Amino acid sequence: MAIREITKQDIRGILKEHEQHRDSLIPILQGIQKKLGYISEEAVEVISSHLNISENDIYGVVTFYTQFRFTCPGDHILKVCQGTACHVRGCKRIMNEATKYLGISPGETTSDYKFSLDSVACFGSCALSPVVVIDNTVHGRMSAQKIKRLLKAIE
């Protein structure tokens, strides 16, 4: 898969949907993230010019909220819960298996942009622990063996 690209025209189309005011920053960032999957350097530059705020201020907002990312995500996003119940029931073994299988660390994307791997503090699905979420689908009572089979099935 090729890296998703967004043009300045796409960004300007998103900007037109919002008032040219600092309060529009988060909705604009959400719009760009929805269309592109991440916040590109080019997007930060265009937003900065449009809202007349510094790029540093935009980077500050993007890094504060975990919903935003600066890197292109993979086609499939695997999130491993690190909450207490998942920790007690072996989330570390699941994360180790996913890391080993994909060849990436949490927060990274495979070189072919097929998978991104993230850790999450808690999904709030403790009764199903340990839990992983792949592409917004919850998989409970996970194990290191199950995650490997699941990843193979997705490939």
Side-chain angles (χ1 to χ4, degrees):
M1 187 210 114
I3 296 175
R4 291 173 203 104
E5 293 185 14
I6 188 169
T7 65
K8 285 186 178 181
Q9 187 175 356
D10 293 328
I11 296 168
R12 288 191 178 96
I14 293 168
L15 294 175
K16 284 181 184 174
E17 297 170 6
H18 303 280
E19 290 184 36
Q20 194 172 354
H21 189 271
R22 184 181 191 94
D23 293 345
S24 300
L25 177 58
I26 290 178
I28 289 170
L29 291 170
Q30 289 170 327
I32 290 171
Q33 175 116 346
K34 184 176 180 181
K35 183 152 185 115
L36 180 63
Y38 71 106
I39 307 299
S40 68
E41 288 182 29
E42 184 176 53
V44 171
E45 184 182 311
V46 174
I47 295 167
S48 172
S49 175
H50 179 74
L51 295 180
N52 196 26
I53 58 176
S54 74
E55 291 181 18
N56 285 341
D57 286 345
I58 296 169
Y59 280 108
V61 169
V62 172
T63 56
F64 180 79
Y65 293 102
T66 58
Q67 67 178 295
F68 299 120
R69 59 186 316 146
F70 284 117
T71 57
C72 183
D75 293 338
H76 303 284
I77 299 174
L78 168 63
K79 297 176 182 177
V80 180
C81 183
Q82 305 292 309
T84 303
C86 290
H87 175 77
V88 170
R89 294 186 177 168
C91 70
K92 188 172 182 178
R93 287 189 299 273
I94 295 166
M95 181 62 87
N96 287 342
E97 186 63 34
T99 299
K100 180 179 162 188
Y101 185 84
L102 297 173
I104 57 174
S105 298
E108 295 180 343
T109 299
T110 56
S111 60
D112 61 358
Y113 292 94
K114 189 150 189 153
F115 289 98
S116 291
L117 177 62
D118 288 319
S119 64
V120 173
C122 184
F123 282 114
S125 301
C126 302
L128 299 174
S129 67
V131 172
V132 301
V133 174
I134 301 177
D135 302 333
N136 297 319
T137 300
V138 176
H139 300 271
R141 294 181 177 59
M142 188 55 58
S143 68
Q145 296 79 22
K146 285 181 184 175
I147 192 65
K148 191 174 179 179
R149 283 195 305 263
L150 198 54
L151 291 171
K152 276 185 180 178
I154 292 171
E155 281 187 321

